Structure formats: structure tokens, C-alpha cells
Amino acid sequence: MIRKVLLVAFSLGLLFWAGSRGQAQEAERAVELRLVGLSQGYTRPLRTTSERLGKVPGLREVKAISHRAGITRFTARTALSNDAIAAALGLKLLDARDGALLLAPAAAGEAWRAEARLVILAIMEAIRERQHRQRRNMWDELPNLFPSESSTEQALKVLGFEPRMLEGRFFKLKDYHIEEEAGWNGTYKVWAGERYAPVPVGNLYDFDFSNAQGEEPDAKARFVGARMNLSSWGGGFWWVDFHGSALNGVEFERDATVAGSGTLAVQAGAERIVTVLQAAARYRFKEGVDKKTKDELLRGSLANWQSKSELGLGEDYWDCLPYYNDNAFSLSWFKHEQTGHLHARVKAFYPSHALHLDGDLDVDAAKASDFNVEKVPVRWTVGAEKDANVFEQRRVELAAGLKVLRDALFALPAPPPAASALSGQALCAALSLAEDKLKGAHFSAADYLLLPQMLGDWEIRAGSSATGGSSWTLVSFTSKTDIRSYR
């Protein structure tokens, strides 16, 4: 009797286990992991990161899809809940829809822009494909793809998309805009946000830069946008928002040189600014211009041909500079507070750009010296470095600073809280490190960042393209080892 009871209980146990296992298998699903705000170290190579993700309990069959526009995509199979996946990766779940999870480190403040980038990429690719079929040869003008004054919703239907595609967590249908300038060049702007606020990227076809002062873009602006030119002679696709400008494919640092000469690109840019400022001084006192007020003088982007003509710039000016384009330069005017003299000011790009330059010239003093350029030099707020040696000095200093931070991090019994990026005093306090340990000729503690990553990793970063290059080290606190470094 007892044997029969045990046999029945055992059989029921087997049935329950089999049923539970079947339910677990049925609950398993395919997911797409969209990871943003992560270190570049995870993409070099993606295969290694796929293997690491495949070892996370609850994830299997992890495969890399792509790394594009700052978004690294993987597919996986799992029975874990969305929140459990985020916890297992040590990331924050930003959004979940249609089987895709948007995940980022807690400190990645701009990661939400990835939602708009995925939408913009899909729209731009659909436009490119449809218009490519319209052009039989390079001389064909592209017809209007969208009806005149069509709404975003109508434009989406032309492309075969449902409007709900734009209803995300951070941006809605009303936030998106699709603008078309058909014809021979075929130019398209797709953007999300409150207003179109592009930054100059130095692209030959980037003709719509309107920020006349070259000011620092608002890093917190709710704007994500891209521009595409389908000219048969060239064109291309590029991001025009501040954060996206670093995703445009062509990477360069401030130590970039003019091919074949060894001259720093910033030196060539500075020479162009001197030329423009000297021309601006003469323009100021031309007949018909000398009576104008400061606010009536020519200003804005030098991409305007009429502006260059009024400034009297000769044919030599029209030569394209490496890395710089006329769209990168902007002219403005200001009164000096102490002397009351009028100054012409020319900026290249914006302050955090790798090739930013900022110079001004006292045009009243220039006139008084009969425009003798040797007597009245350009005053540089941000000038060109004299040679490439300074960049090597900066890199050596950064390498030493990164090592100090790496050793201090590994010496801790437990990692710092991963809620935010650490820099300056907060960084030194978290690592029990004296600030003077990071004080050098070019950098201080405020120039270093400690960023939480996924799987308990950390990235130590310093420098930028504007200082001649960024350096970073991706490390595993668990194993106290380096994963990947770039200097």
C-alpha cells in the first residue's frame, strides 16, 4: 500500500515537473536587446560581447546584429522578465515594445535619444530606396516624394509606415517632422523635437547652418535630427544634432593634418580666419557700409556666396580646406567694453568641436594703421596649436592619469555606487584619492570621468577630440582586469 502511494506521488511529481518545464519552455521568447550609452570597448569586437552576454544566466543564443548610430543590437532567447533582464545586465530599462528592450547604464543621460534615431534611420532608408528607383541617370531630377505641405502622418503612409511607429515613450507622432527639397540634389531633413536646431558638421552639402554666432549648442536640447542629400555627384547622410555629430562616421581629432604637408588642420583654419577678419575690417569702411550700425553689418555663415562677395574675398578663398567648409565659419561683431572699438569676430564650428577656433580683430585700430596687418594682429580666444608635440604631451599625461584611477578603483573592497558618472572631487572622494594625484600640466581631476557600464564593468575616460583625443579604459571590477583600452 505504501509502495503504491509512493509510486503515485512520484508519478504525479514527474507530471508536475514535466508540465512546469513545458510551461517554462512556452514562456521562453525571442528578444532584441538595444544597448545605448555604452563604452566603445564593447564593440571591439562585438563577438566577444555576444559571448559574454551568452554567459548571463537566463540568456541564450545571443547574437550580435549591428552597431549603428550609437546603438548596439543583439538578439537572444530568454524566459526572464524584462526587468530581470535589465537587472542581470546591470542596466536601466528605458523602454520595452514589440519584443525589443531599450537598455542603458543609469548614468547615460542622453540614451533616450536612441528611440528617435531608430525611427529616423528607418524613414531615411525608405526615402533613399524609393528615390533611388526614380533616378535613371545622374542628370535626372528627383520628383517630390510627398504631396505639397503633407503632414508627417501622410508622409509616413507614402513610405508604407504606420503612424504608430512614431508613438514611442520619449517622442510622439507630433514631435516628428519630415521635410523635402526635391530636385537635382534631393535633400531631406527628418527630425524630432521642439525646433530644428542643427550644428555645423563641415559637410559640403550642409547648407542650412543658421547659428550665426557659432555658440556652444545646448547639450540638453530636446532635438534629434538628420539630413540626407541624394545628389548624384555625392551627398550622403549625417546627423545634425549636437550628440549625433560624433556618429557621422568620419572621425578626426584636433591633431588632424593636411594631407601631404604635415600642417595641422587647425593652422590652416586659423589662416582662413585671419583672411576673413582682414577682409571684414576693410568691408566695414567701404562706401555705403561705413554709415551702418553694428547690427546692420554683414553677419552669419560664410556659406553664403553673396556674403563672400561683399567681403571682397578673392578666388583663392574659394579653395576648400581639409576638414573645414564655409558652413563651419561664422562672422559676428561686438564692441570692446574698455576701448569702445568695433571688433569683427569669426568662429569655426562651436567650442566643444575638435576643430573649433575663435578669433577677433579690432577693425577701428586696423583702419587707424592703414590696415597694416602686422601692427594690428588677430586676438585669439581659441587659437591653433603651434605643432603636434603638444598633443603627444597630453596623451602621455592622460595615460598616467588613467593608470592612477584604474589602480585606485581596483584597490577598493567594493565598487562605487553605479547611479551616476563621477568626476572631479566626487571622483576622488569615491576612490579615496587625493586630487593632486591627477593634477598635471594640461589636465586636472575635473577632466576625468568614471562611468558605470554593464555586467559590473566601469569605463575610465579623459580628454576629448577638442583637446587632441580622448583616452579610455574599460575594466572589469569583478576580475580586476582590463577589457579594452584606447589611447
Side-chain angles (χ1 to χ4, degrees):
M1 182 65 180
I2 295 176
R3 182 178 296 176
K4 287 183 178 180
V5 172
L6 291 174
L7 182 61
V8 170
F10 180 72
S11 300
L12 289 173
L14 284 176
L15 289 172
F16 178 79
W17 175 80
S20 300
R21 187 169 181 269
Q23 289 175 0
Q25 287 178 337
E26 290 175 0
E28 188 179 65
R29 70 197 193 282
V31 295
E32 181 179 321
L33 307 176
R34 297 172 175 175
L35 312 183
V36 294
L38 289 177
S39 169
Q40 297 177 52
Y42 291 114
T43 67
R44 306 179 180 187
L46 277 176
R47 182 186 67 254
T48 301
T49 303
S50 297
E51 292 171 354
R52 288 189 70 193
L53 292 175
K55 295 177 182 178
V56 173
L59 294 182
R60 67 185 192 88
E61 296 182 18
V62 178
K63 296 179 182 178
I65 302 176
S66 66
H67 175 75
R68 188 180 183 190
I71 305 163
T72 311
R73 301 167 66 183
F74 301 89
T75 58
R77 295 196 63 80
T78 184
L80 297 175
S81 67
N82 295 339
D83 290 333
I85 293 173
L89 299 181
L91 297 175
K92 182 179 179 180
L93 178 61
L94 297 181
D95 197 18
R97 65 186 64 234
D98 301 326
L101 310 184
L102 185 62
L103 300 147
E110 74 281 0
W112 53 268
R113 291 182 174 85
E115 176 184 280
R117 296 202 194 284
L118 290 169
V119 171
I120 291 171
L121 282 171
I123 292 173
M124 286 296 203
E125 287 171 356
I127 292 173
R128 189 201 306 270
E129 180 184 350
R130 284 176 177 257
Q131 290 296 57
H132 179 71
R133 295 200 300 263
Q134 298 286 344
R135 180 172 270 154
R136 294 166 299 175
N137 59 63
M138 65 185 299
W139 306 110
D140 280 353
E141 288 193 3
L142 292 172
N144 285 317
L145 184 60
F146 310 117
S148 177
E149 299 181 359
S150 60
S151 66
T152 300
E153 186 172 358
Q154 291 170 325
L156 287 175
K157 290 181 178 179
V158 170
L159 298 173
F161 293 129
E162 291 295 329
R164 70 181 184 86
M165 163 188 172
L166 273 58
E167 294 292 337
R169 176 182 173 187
F170 304 103
F171 291 99
K172 307 297 181 183
L173 173 62
K174 63 180 177 62
D175 297 314
Y176 287 89
H177 307 267
I178 302 175
E179 298 180 14
E180 176 183 39
E181 298 172 20
W184 188 70
N185 282 326
T187 300
Y188 299 85
K189 293 186 287 189
V190 181
W191 55 281
E194 297 167 358
R195 66 184 183 89
Y196 188 68
V199 297
V201 297
N203 188 299
L204 181 62
Y205 297 92
D206 185 19
F207 295 120
D208 62 353
F209 173 48
S210 57
N211 182 354
Q213 307 305 316
E215 302 296 346
E216 182 72 12
D218 182 1
K220 298 180 180 179
R222 193 169 177 270
F223 167 67
V224 181
R227 184 177 169 93
M228 180 171 66
N229 184 284
L230 298 180
S231 168
S232 55
W233 291 98
F237 169 94
W238 60 98
W239 297 101
V240 295
D241 60 280
F242 175 64
H243 294 277
S245 60
L247 304 173
N248 284 327
V250 179
E251 296 183 1
F252 52 85
E253 308 289 1
R254 195 169 177 85
D255 63 348
T257 58
V258 178
S261 70
T263 302
L264 290 171
V266 287
Q267 292 173 342
E271 290 176 6
R272 176 60 53 87
I273 286 179
V274 170
T275 299
V276 175
L277 287 173
Q278 291 171 353
R282 291 183 173 88
Y283 153 82
R284 170 61 184 117
F285 298 100
K286 284 170 56 177
E287 184 177 353
V289 179
D290 53 353
K291 304 299 182 184
K292 291 185 177 181
T293 66
K294 172 177 69 71
D295 295 334
E296 293 174 328
L297 296 174
L298 183 70
R299 66 182 61 245
S301 170
L302 294 179
N304 187 315
W305 286 40
Q306 183 178 356
S307 298
K308 289 192 281 282
S309 177
E310 287 190 42
L311 287 173
L313 294 168
E315 292 184 359
D316 327 354
Y317 180 86
W318 300 93
D319 295 337
C320 290
L321 289 178
Y323 302 100
Y324 290 94
N325 180 267
D326 288 348
N327 298 284
F329 297 99
S330 62
L331 171 66
S332 61
W333 306 83
F334 70 92
K335 286 273 191 180
H336 194 279
E337 292 183 359
Q338 295 178 339
T339 65
H341 287 191
L342 183 66
H343 285 237
R345 185 177 197 175
V346 175
K347 296 181 182 180
F349 296 109
Y350 45 88
S352 61
H353 192 281
L355 303 182
H356 172 64
L357 295 166
D358 183 351
D360 64 84
L361 180 66
D362 184 334
V363 297
D364 289 329
K367 182 178 184 298
S369 69
D370 197 23
F371 302 104
N372 186 325
V373 296
E374 294 182 357
K375 291 184 178 180
V376 185
V378 170
R379 184 184 67 169
W380 293 101
T381 301
V382 180
E385 285 81 354
K386 295 186 180 301
D387 57 60
N389 290 332
V390 66
F391 298 110
E392 183 57 30
Q393 294 169 14
R394 291 173 185 171
R395 292 189 185 107
V396 170
E397 184 176 316
L398 288 180
L402 291 180
K403 184 179 184 307
V404 168
L405 290 172
R406 174 186 177 276
D407 293 345
L409 176 64
F410 285 170
L412 296 177
S420 62
L422 297 170
S423 181
Q425 290 182 347
L427 168 63
C428 292
L431 300 184
S432 301
L433 189 68
E435 285 189 57
D436 60 6
K437 295 290 185 181
L438 296 175
K439 181 65 177 175
H442 303 280
F443 302 98
S444 65
D447 296 301
Y448 293 87
L449 273 174
L450 182 62
L451 298 157
Q453 298 294 306
M454 67 176 180
L455 304 175
D457 301 336
W458 291 82
E459 183 185 71
I460 309 168
R461 174 176 290 274
S464 67
S465 58
T467 60
S470 60
S471 298
W472 51 263
T473 300
L474 179 64
V475 301
S476 167
F477 185 86
T478 305
S479 62
K480 302 291 195 300
T481 58
D482 293 347
I483 298 172
R484 190 87 183 184
S485 296
Y486 175 80
R487 294 182 177 86

